[in-house]
Short mmCIF file of all heavy atoms in Angstrom, two decimals:
data_model
loop_
_atom_site.label_atom_id
_atom_site.label_comp_id
_atom_site.label_asym_id
_atom_site.label_seq_id
_atom_site.Cartn_x
_atom_site.Cartn_y
_atom_site.Cartn_z
N ARG F 62 -68.17 37.86 43.61
CA ARG F 62 -69.31 37.36 44.37
C ARG F 62 -70.59 37.73 43.63
O ARG F 62 -70.69 38.82 43.08
CB ARG F 62 -69.29 37.96 45.77
CG ARG F 62 -68.10 37.44 46.54
CD ARG F 62 -68.24 37.72 48.02
NE ARG F 62 -67.22 36.98 48.72
CZ ARG F 62 -66.12 37.56 49.21
NH1 ARG F 62 -65.95 38.84 49.10
NH2 ARG F 62 -65.24 36.82 49.83
N ARG F 63 -71.54 36.81 43.61
CA ARG F 63 -72.76 37.05 42.84
C ARG F 63 -73.99 36.87 43.70
O ARG F 63 -73.97 36.20 44.72
CB ARG F 63 -72.83 36.10 41.64
CG ARG F 63 -72.89 34.64 42.00
CD ARG F 63 -73.22 33.74 40.84
NE ARG F 63 -74.55 33.96 40.35
CZ ARG F 63 -75.67 33.47 40.89
NH1 ARG F 63 -75.60 32.70 41.96
NH2 ARG F 63 -76.84 33.71 40.37
N CYS F 64 -75.07 37.46 43.23
CA CYS F 64 -76.37 37.33 43.86
C CYS F 64 -77.36 36.96 42.77
O CYS F 64 -77.43 37.64 41.74
CB CYS F 64 -76.76 38.66 44.52
SG CYS F 64 -78.42 38.67 45.19
N GLY F 65 -78.08 35.88 42.97
CA GLY F 65 -79.09 35.46 42.00
C GLY F 65 -80.45 35.99 42.40
O GLY F 65 -80.57 37.01 43.07
N LYS F 66 -81.49 35.26 42.01
CA LYS F 66 -82.85 35.69 42.34
C LYS F 66 -83.31 35.13 43.68
O LYS F 66 -84.44 35.34 44.08
CB LYS F 66 -83.81 35.25 41.23
CG LYS F 66 -83.59 36.01 39.94
CD LYS F 66 -84.68 35.72 38.95
CE LYS F 66 -84.23 34.61 38.04
NZ LYS F 66 -85.21 34.27 37.02
N GLY F 67 -82.45 34.38 44.36
CA GLY F 67 -82.78 33.94 45.71
C GLY F 67 -83.34 32.54 45.83
O GLY F 67 -83.60 32.07 46.93
N GLU F 68 -83.52 31.83 44.71
CA GLU F 68 -84.07 30.48 44.80
C GLU F 68 -82.99 29.41 44.85
O GLU F 68 -83.27 28.25 45.11
CB GLU F 68 -85.03 30.24 43.63
CG GLU F 68 -86.23 31.17 43.70
CD GLU F 68 -87.23 30.90 42.61
OE1 GLU F 68 -87.27 29.76 42.09
OE2 GLU F 68 -87.98 31.82 42.27
N GLY F 69 -81.75 29.77 44.55
CA GLY F 69 -80.63 28.86 44.68
C GLY F 69 -80.40 27.91 43.52
O GLY F 69 -79.51 27.08 43.56
N TYR F 70 -81.18 28.02 42.44
CA TYR F 70 -81.01 27.09 41.32
C TYR F 70 -79.65 27.25 40.65
O TYR F 70 -79.00 26.26 40.31
CB TYR F 70 -82.14 27.25 40.29
CG TYR F 70 -83.45 26.69 40.78
CD1 TYR F 70 -84.52 27.53 41.03
CD2 TYR F 70 -83.60 25.33 41.01
CE1 TYR F 70 -85.72 27.03 41.51
CE2 TYR F 70 -84.80 24.82 41.48
CZ TYR F 70 -85.85 25.67 41.72
OH TYR F 70 -87.02 25.17 42.19
N SER F 71 -79.21 28.47 40.44
CA SER F 71 -77.92 28.68 39.80
C SER F 71 -76.79 28.08 40.64
O SER F 71 -75.88 27.45 40.12
CB SER F 71 -77.68 30.17 39.56
OG SER F 71 -76.51 30.35 38.81
N ASP F 72 -76.88 28.28 41.95
CA ASP F 72 -75.87 27.71 42.84
C ASP F 72 -75.88 26.18 42.78
O ASP F 72 -74.83 25.55 42.75
CB ASP F 72 -76.09 28.17 44.28
CG ASP F 72 -75.91 29.68 44.43
OD1 ASP F 72 -75.08 30.25 43.72
OD2 ASP F 72 -76.62 30.26 45.26
N LEU F 73 -77.07 25.60 42.73
CA LEU F 73 -77.16 24.14 42.62
C LEU F 73 -76.62 23.65 41.28
O LEU F 73 -75.92 22.64 41.22
CB LEU F 73 -78.61 23.67 42.80
CG LEU F 73 -79.08 23.55 44.23
CD1 LEU F 73 -80.58 23.28 44.27
CD2 LEU F 73 -78.33 22.45 44.95
N GLU F 74 -76.94 24.36 40.20
CA GLU F 74 -76.43 23.96 38.89
C GLU F 74 -74.91 24.00 38.86
O GLU F 74 -74.25 23.08 38.36
CB GLU F 74 -77.01 24.88 37.80
CG GLU F 74 -78.50 24.67 37.62
CD GLU F 74 -79.17 25.81 36.88
OE1 GLU F 74 -78.53 26.82 36.56
OE2 GLU F 74 -80.38 25.68 36.62
N PHE F 75 -74.35 25.07 39.43
CA PHE F 75 -72.89 25.17 39.48
C PHE F 75 -72.31 24.05 40.34
O PHE F 75 -71.30 23.44 39.98
CB PHE F 75 -72.49 26.54 40.04
CG PHE F 75 -71.01 26.79 39.97
CD1 PHE F 75 -70.40 27.11 38.78
CD2 PHE F 75 -70.22 26.69 41.11
CE1 PHE F 75 -69.04 27.33 38.71
CE2 PHE F 75 -68.86 26.91 41.05
CZ PHE F 75 -68.27 27.23 39.84
N ALA F 76 -72.95 23.77 41.48
CA ALA F 76 -72.48 22.70 42.36
C ALA F 76 -72.55 21.34 41.66
O ALA F 76 -71.66 20.50 41.84
CB ALA F 76 -73.28 22.69 43.65
N ILE F 77 -73.59 21.12 40.87
CA ILE F 77 -73.69 19.87 40.10
C ILE F 77 -72.49 19.74 39.18
O ILE F 77 -71.84 18.69 39.11
CB ILE F 77 -75.02 19.82 39.30
CG1 ILE F 77 -76.20 19.65 40.25
CG2 ILE F 77 -74.99 18.71 38.25
CD1 ILE F 77 -77.56 19.89 39.59
N LEU F 78 -72.18 20.80 38.46
CA LEU F 78 -71.04 20.77 37.54
C LEU F 78 -69.72 20.58 38.29
O LEU F 78 -68.83 19.88 37.83
CB LEU F 78 -71.02 22.02 36.67
CG LEU F 78 -72.20 22.13 35.72
CD1 LEU F 78 -72.24 23.51 35.06
CD2 LEU F 78 -72.17 21.04 34.67
N ARG F 79 -69.59 21.18 39.47
CA ARG F 79 -68.38 20.98 40.29
C ARG F 79 -68.27 19.52 40.73
O ARG F 79 -67.19 18.96 40.74
CB ARG F 79 -68.39 21.91 41.50
CG ARG F 79 -68.19 23.37 41.16
CD ARG F 79 -66.78 23.67 40.71
NE ARG F 79 -65.90 23.57 41.85
CZ ARG F 79 -64.62 23.29 41.77
NH1 ARG F 79 -64.06 23.08 40.61
NH2 ARG F 79 -63.88 23.19 42.85
N GLU F 80 -69.40 18.91 41.11
CA GLU F 80 -69.39 17.49 41.50
C GLU F 80 -68.88 16.64 40.34
O GLU F 80 -68.26 15.61 40.55
CB GLU F 80 -70.79 17.02 41.90
CG GLU F 80 -71.28 17.50 43.23
CD GLU F 80 -70.73 16.71 44.41
OE1 GLU F 80 -70.20 15.59 44.23
OE2 GLU F 80 -70.83 17.22 45.54
N LEU F 81 -69.18 17.07 39.12
CA LEU F 81 -68.77 16.33 37.94
C LEU F 81 -67.35 16.69 37.51
O LEU F 81 -66.86 16.21 36.49
CB LEU F 81 -69.74 16.59 36.78
CG LEU F 81 -71.16 16.06 37.02
CD1 LEU F 81 -72.09 16.55 35.92
CD2 LEU F 81 -71.17 14.54 37.09
N GLY F 82 -66.68 17.56 38.26
CA GLY F 82 -65.28 17.87 38.00
C GLY F 82 -65.02 19.11 37.15
O GLY F 82 -63.88 19.36 36.77
N HIS F 83 -66.01 19.91 36.86
CA HIS F 83 -65.80 21.12 36.07
C HIS F 83 -65.19 22.21 36.94
O HIS F 83 -65.42 22.28 38.14
CB HIS F 83 -67.11 21.58 35.43
CG HIS F 83 -67.64 20.58 34.46
ND1 HIS F 83 -67.13 20.44 33.19
CD2 HIS F 83 -68.60 19.65 34.58
CE1 HIS F 83 -67.77 19.47 32.57
NE2 HIS F 83 -68.67 18.97 33.39
N GLN F 84 -64.40 23.07 36.31
CA GLN F 84 -63.65 24.09 37.04
C GLN F 84 -64.45 25.37 37.21
O GLN F 84 -65.30 25.68 36.41
CB GLN F 84 -62.35 24.40 36.30
CG GLN F 84 -61.44 23.20 36.11
CD GLN F 84 -61.04 22.63 37.46
OE1 GLN F 84 -60.60 23.35 38.37
NE2 GLN F 84 -61.20 21.34 37.64
N PRO F 85 -64.10 26.16 38.27
CA PRO F 85 -64.77 27.44 38.47
C PRO F 85 -64.29 28.46 37.44
O PRO F 85 -63.22 28.32 36.85
CB PRO F 85 -64.32 27.85 39.88
CG PRO F 85 -63.01 27.17 40.06
CD PRO F 85 -63.13 25.88 39.30
N LEU F 86 -65.09 29.46 37.24
CA LEU F 86 -64.76 30.51 36.27
C LEU F 86 -64.37 31.78 36.99
O LEU F 86 -64.68 31.98 38.14
CB LEU F 86 -65.95 30.77 35.35
CG LEU F 86 -66.39 29.57 34.54
CD1 LEU F 86 -67.55 29.93 33.65
CD2 LEU F 86 -65.24 29.04 33.71
N SER F 87 -63.71 32.65 36.25
CA SER F 87 -63.23 33.86 36.90
C SER F 87 -63.38 35.09 35.99
O SER F 87 -62.53 35.96 36.00
CB SER F 87 -61.77 33.69 37.30
OG SER F 87 -61.00 33.34 36.17
N VAL F 88 -64.45 35.14 35.23
CA VAL F 88 -64.70 36.30 34.37
C VAL F 88 -66.15 36.72 34.55
O VAL F 88 -67.05 35.90 34.59
CB VAL F 88 -64.45 35.97 32.88
CG1 VAL F 88 -64.82 37.14 31.99
CG2 VAL F 88 -63.01 35.56 32.65
N ILE F 89 -66.35 38.03 34.65
CA ILE F 89 -67.69 38.60 34.69
C ILE F 89 -67.90 39.32 33.37
O ILE F 89 -67.06 40.13 32.96
CB ILE F 89 -67.83 39.60 35.85
CG1 ILE F 89 -67.60 38.90 37.19
CG2 ILE F 89 -69.20 40.28 35.81
CD1 ILE F 89 -67.45 39.86 38.35
N ALA F 90 -68.98 39.01 32.70
CA ALA F 90 -69.30 39.69 31.43
C ALA F 90 -70.58 40.50 31.60
O ALA F 90 -71.59 39.98 32.05
CB ALA F 90 -69.47 38.67 30.31
N THR F 91 -70.49 41.77 31.29
CA THR F 91 -71.66 42.65 31.31
C THR F 91 -71.88 43.11 29.88
O THR F 91 -71.06 42.83 29.00
CB THR F 91 -71.42 43.87 32.23
OG1 THR F 91 -70.51 44.76 31.57
CG2 THR F 91 -70.88 43.46 33.59
N PRO F 92 -72.95 43.81 29.60
CA PRO F 92 -73.15 44.30 28.23
C PRO F 92 -72.01 45.20 27.73
O PRO F 92 -71.78 45.29 26.53
CB PRO F 92 -74.46 45.09 28.31
CG PRO F 92 -75.20 44.45 29.44
CD PRO F 92 -74.13 44.07 30.44
N THR F 93 -71.26 45.81 28.64
CA THR F 93 -70.21 46.74 28.20
C THR F 93 -68.81 46.40 28.67
O THR F 93 -67.85 47.03 28.24
CB THR F 93 -70.53 48.18 28.69
OG1 THR F 93 -70.64 48.15 30.13
CG2 THR F 93 -71.82 48.69 28.07
N HIS F 94 -68.65 45.40 29.54
CA HIS F 94 -67.32 45.08 30.08
C HIS F 94 -67.12 43.57 30.23
O HIS F 94 -68.07 42.83 30.43
CB HIS F 94 -67.14 45.71 31.47
CG HIS F 94 -67.11 47.19 31.48
ND1 HIS F 94 -68.25 47.95 31.54
CD2 HIS F 94 -66.08 48.06 31.43
CE1 HIS F 94 -67.94 49.22 31.53
NE2 HIS F 94 -66.62 49.32 31.46
#
Side-chain angles (χ1 to χ4, degrees):
R62 294 194 169 104
R63 62 169 294 279
C64 174
K66 291 189 265 181
E68 296 184 25
Y70 287 113
S71 186
D72 296 327
L73 278 172
E74 292 163 355
F75 187 76
I77 289 167
L78 294 171
R79 290 289 289 154
E80 286 280 344
L81 295 172
H83 297 282
Q84 301 300 310
L86 299 181
S87 56
V88 176
I89 298 169
T91 73
T93 58
H94 294 86

